Amino acid sequence: MPTNYLDILVSPAGLLINVVAQVFIFRYVKTLGLLKSIFVGFAVGFVCVIIAECYIYFATPKLILDFLAVLTCNLLTYSSLGYCYFHFLNLGETARRIRIVRELYDSEGGLSLEGILARYNARDIVQKRFERLLNNRQIIEKDGRYYIGNPVMLMMANIMVAMKLIFLRKE
């Protein structure tokens, strides 16, 4: 049983470091896009959680099994918080409902249904997503056919399917 209350603060502190690093990287390192800044911010926070737990372990000696249990718990908690932060950013950046509401708010005279449908043409949306996937090398094109490039998105999709199966019992 951990006796150090600092262990409780490590995961939220890691998330705070993640957010600060991600915002800083996104604003000041123009070569990285939003997705890469999120990944780098997550990695910085992850490493900081490990360093903080190691510091606490050496400052207040305890059994190695207790240290490993607390470290594992805090890394899982931090990863869950980082996952929530990723989807918080993703929601504001990609959700059509939020974008439509923001565009309606920004337009003084309102928008017609035809105007909204013109902005959110299904073909254009798929085209933009394909361009993004190609630019990020998540998919590649060979001889007019598309294939998985970088398997990170496939791994994320598989994790989402598994989580839906486990928690919602549906695909």
Side-chain angles (χ1 to χ4, degrees):
M1 180 100 175
T3 56
N4 193 333
Y5 292 105
L6 285 176
D7 288 322
I8 297 169
L9 300 175
V10 170
S11 294
L15 178 65
L16 180 63
I17 291 167
N18 174 350
V19 171
V20 169
Q22 185 274 320
V23 169
F24 179 83
I25 290 165
F26 181 69
R27 288 186 181 173
Y28 299 109
V29 182
K30 297 298 181 187
T31 57
L32 295 177
L34 179 63
L35 185 61
K36 288 181 183 173
S37 74
I38 293 170
F39 288 155
V40 172
F42 178 83
V44 169
F46 195 87
V47 169
C48 287
V49 168
I50 293 171
I51 291 170
E53 280 302 330
C54 289
Y55 176 78
I56 291 170
Y57 173 70
F58 289 112
T60 58
K62 53 186 157 197
L63 295 175
I64 188 71
L65 290 177
D66 287 343
F67 164 71
L68 292 174
V70 171
L71 176 65
T72 301
C73 182
N74 274 335
L75 288 175
L76 287 172
T77 303
Y78 168 74
S79 296
S80 298
L81 292 169
Y83 180 78
C84 291
Y85 178 63
F86 167 77
H87 282 289
F88 171 75
L89 292 177
N90 190 40
L91 179 67
E93 192 63 26
T94 62
R96 283 186 294 276
R97 286 181 290 185
I98 290 174
R99 281 189 169 181
I100 290 170
V101 168
R102 283 189 352 213
E103 288 180 17
L104 288 171
Y105 176 77
D106 290 340
S107 66
E108 290 182 23
L111 296 172
S112 68
L113 180 59
E114 292 79 24
I116 293 170
L117 291 175
R119 290 178 183 203
Y120 292 94
N121 177 313
R123 179 177 289 279
D124 291 341
I125 290 170
V126 171
Q127 181 74 32
K128 287 177 185 174
R129 288 200 176 145
F130 259 83
E131 287 172 9
R132 220 176 298 140
L133 289 168
L134 286 166
N135 289 338
N136 292 330
R137 295 181 186 92
Q138 292 163 341
I139 63 172
I140 56 174
E141 188 257 332
K142 291 181 185 175
D143 301 323
R145 314 267 296 155
Y146 295 96
Y147 301 93
I148 300 293
N150 183 342
V152 171
M153 286 301 289
L154 178 61
M155 182 179 68
M156 288 170 50
N158 287 337
I159 290 170
M160 289 304 300
V161 168
M163 290 178 73
K164 282 184 179 180
L165 282 170
I166 291 168
F167 296 112
L168 304 177
R169 300 202 189 280
K170 60 181 175 180
E171 293 186 41

